[in-house]
Amino acid sequence: QVQLVQSGAEVKKPGASVRLSCKASGYTFTNFAMQWMRQAPGQRPEWVGWINAVNGNTKYSQKFQDRVTITMDTSASTAYMELSSLTSDDTAIYYCARDNFLISFNPWGQGTLVTVSS
Amino acid sequence: QSMLTQPPSASGTPGQRVIISCSGSNSNIGRHPVSWLQQLPGSAPKLLIYGYNQRPSGVPDRFSGSRSGTSASLAISGLQSEDETDYYCAAWDDTLNGWAFGGGTKLTV
């Protein structure tokens, strides 16, 4: 079955960067895109960006444009999201979700908690 | 700025039908399909509805979606206790040039 498994929780200091991974299985990775979202405690999900695994094109939320990079390793069926210049406001659960260009957000990974604290 | 607006709460009794609304604009719901997500406590969101009223495999037909102008609705019929959780709408927004999510509705059964 389609499954997205994300990397483990991270604790970072303000100003640092974090790189998260999302390993896909159960489908052909390069036939789909991968979305990245985050959700702070008690808040709505927030879109971060996506990568089209067919051609490697990326698109980022204007909010994160200057400090996010989404990449992929097709040989490992894995997508990565790196966020730099972290502040406490970046403390959230970060999710990946598959997108087939018609059906977005299906399924989601289990999420990775990122805590930014001095 | 909040592009999609949902009521913070909704309620119903078992077996009843409840409707959750999502209000947007011509930059999102008025031009793009709406997705609905269900999020159980401590879990990742799960896709319930896409393309206004399509259900992914495995989602019961008790869940249905609709759109009218710049608003969308999620209807849940035959309410069950396990439906008590949070629901979010989502749509592409041309102003944001990205995905927008509603603030979420907590359903009490």
Side-chain angles (χ1 to χ4, degrees):
Chain A
Q1 76 281 20
V2 176
Q3 195 171 11
L4 303 176
V5 178
Q6 298 185 234
S7 48
E10 301 268 7
V11 179
K12 296 292 183 181
K13 293 193 180 302
S17 297
V18 68
R19 187 183 192 226
L20 309 179
S21 68
C22 171
K23 182 171 177 58
S25 62
Y27 70 96
T28 302
F29 182 77
T30 50
N31 284 353
F32 295 80
M34 195 71 78
Q35 304 269 15
W36 285 89
M37 283 68 60
R38 76 178 189 181
Q39 188 174 29
Q43 301 299 309
R44 71 184 75 190
E46 183 174 29
W47 184 67
V48 176
W50 81 326
I51 186 164
N52 183 342
V54 178
N55 55 23
N57 289 345
T58 55
K59 187 171 183 64
Y60 303 127
S61 165
Q62 295 166 8
K63 177 176 180 177
F64 303 103
Q65 178 80 37
D66 296 336
R67 59 189 188 100
V68 69
T69 303
I70 298 175
T71 57
M72 64 180 182
D73 179 348
T74 56
S75 66
S77 298
T78 300
Y80 301 92
M81 189 215 66
E82 182 168 10
L83 190 63
S84 63
S85 303
L86 293 170
T87 72
S88 58
D89 290 341
D90 294 315
T91 294
I93 299 175
Y94 288 74
Y95 294 102
C96 60
R98 191 183 68 165
D99 188 311
N100 78 352
F101 311 107
L102 176 63
I103 307 174
S104 300
F105 314 123
N106 189 40
W108 293 58
Q110 85 277 16
T112 296
L113 175 62
V114 175
T115 303
V116 183
S117 174
S118 56
Chain B
Q1 67 279 39
S2 300
M3 298 301 186
L4 301 179
T5 302
Q6 298 179 236
S9 64
S11 64
T13 57
Q16 204 174 31
R17 182 173 183 261
V18 67
I19 295 176
I20 297 172
S21 63
C22 176
S23 177
S25 68
N26 284 318
S27 69
N28 43 64
I29 295 176
R31 298 185 63 180
H32 300 287
V34 176
S35 296
W36 286 93
L37 305 166
Q38 178 191 60
Q39 188 172 30
L40 298 172
S43 296
K46 170 190 170 184
L47 182 66
L48 283 180
I49 299 288
Y50 66 94
Y52 299 117
N53 192 22
Q54 303 298 311
R55 289 183 306 277
S57 173
V59 174
D61 59 6
R62 301 188 296 107
F63 296 90
S64 63
S66 64
R67 182 192 74 158
S68 177
T70 58
S71 292
S73 297
L74 172 70
I76 309 173
S77 60
L79 266 182
Q80 301 178 4
S81 58
E82 56 260 41
D83 298 333
E84 181 167 293
T85 192
D86 296 327
Y87 295 85
Y88 295 93
C89 58
W92 183 266
D93 187 277
D94 293 332
T95 301
L96 286 178
N97 197 20
W99 283 90
F101 290 85
T105 299
K106 184 174 182 62
L107 175 63
T108 300
V109 180

